Amino acid sequence: MKFFLDTGNLEEIRTGAGWGIVDGVTTNPSLAGKEGMDYRDLIREIAKMVSGPISVETTTNDPKEMLAQAREYVTWSQNVVVKVPATAEGITAAMALRDLGIRTNVTLTFSVNQALVAAKAGAYFVSPFVGRLDDIGHDGMEVVRQAVQIFRTYGFKTQVLASSLRHPLHVTQAALAGADIATVPFKVMEQLFKHPLTESGQAKFLADWQKLQAELEKKKAKV
Ligand code: E4P
């Protein structure tokens, strides 16, 4: 399973890229809005740090305008994947973009049928929003599980990008469900490394090592 960072924050992306585990980045208008930068400048800066796919979201309900935005976005970087919503208009745009050879990420996907339609439209990624479904009392991960199963059954090439993940358990569950990618906020990616027993165990190993070095020094001094 690949890891994408779900952020537009350049500092977070720089740190994550330094860890070597960031395979791509997802952005949306809300995340980009937090950075107060021109969207094109932001994406170009991200592309300098990450060699994998960068999802850039269209900001209209009109399929023709989605196409126009997509044509512009792909000039910003060859890594750009264009996000369109899982609406009739978004799917219409996704099909046209597929015919133009432009990769799409069908976002705001909340049902298995939306994922199925996205796959039939030739989407490159489909993004089930797990956390937002959990928020309203549904099992968001079930959409990931069923989409993976259906895509395997029919041989769809569309990759399942588990999105709106809120905590490390979501990452484990996405991997168990067979998601191709998990996109996570920086805080969650940071948590993937953390375990209190690792921290206390490493502290003890280093302390014991220092103790041994001190004893050896003492022995040497006596000789
Ligand atoms: C990613 O492509 C989505 O835009 C993102 O995961 C949404 O996450 P949220 O539900 O935490 O806003």
Side-chain angles (χ1 to χ4, degrees), residues 6 26 28 83 129 132 163-164 166 183:
D6 195 22
T26 46
N28 61 40
K83 273 179 150 182
F129 272 34
R132 291 193 194 190
S163 301
S164 185
R166 304 272 170 78
T183 189

Side-chain angles (χ1 to χ4, degrees), residues 107-180:
T107 189
L108 290 166
T109 299
F110 293 96
S111 77
V112 178
N113 284 336
Q114 286 175 313
L116 181 55
V117 169
K120 284 180 71 70
Y124 190 67
F125 297 138
V126 63
S127 293
F129 272 34
V130 175
R132 291 193 194 190
L133 279 167
D134 289 357
D135 288 346
I136 58 159
H138 290 265
D139 179 1
M141 204 55 76
E142 191 56 20
V143 179
V144 174
R145 260 179 237 117
Q146 292 185 5
V148 167
Q149 192 186 332
I150 290 169
F151 290 5
R152 278 190 194 146
T153 302
Y154 288 94
F156 285 122
K157 290 204 174 77
T158 304
Q159 297 174 59
V160 178
L161 200 175
S163 301
S164 185
L165 303 183
R166 304 272 170 78
H167 47 71
L169 187 57
H170 269 158
V171 178
T172 310
Q173 290 169 336
L176 286 170
D180 298 284

Side-chain angles (χ1 to χ4, degrees), residues 4 11 49 81 127 163 189 218:
F4 287 1
E11 229 10 81
M49 295 185 273
V81 176
S127 293
S163 301
M189 189 170 279
K218 259 191 207 167

Side-chain angles (χ1 to χ4, degrees), residues 79-94:
N79 304 1
V80 164
V81 176
V82 177
K83 273 179 150 182
V84 293
T87 56
E89 293 80 10
I91 294 300
T92 302

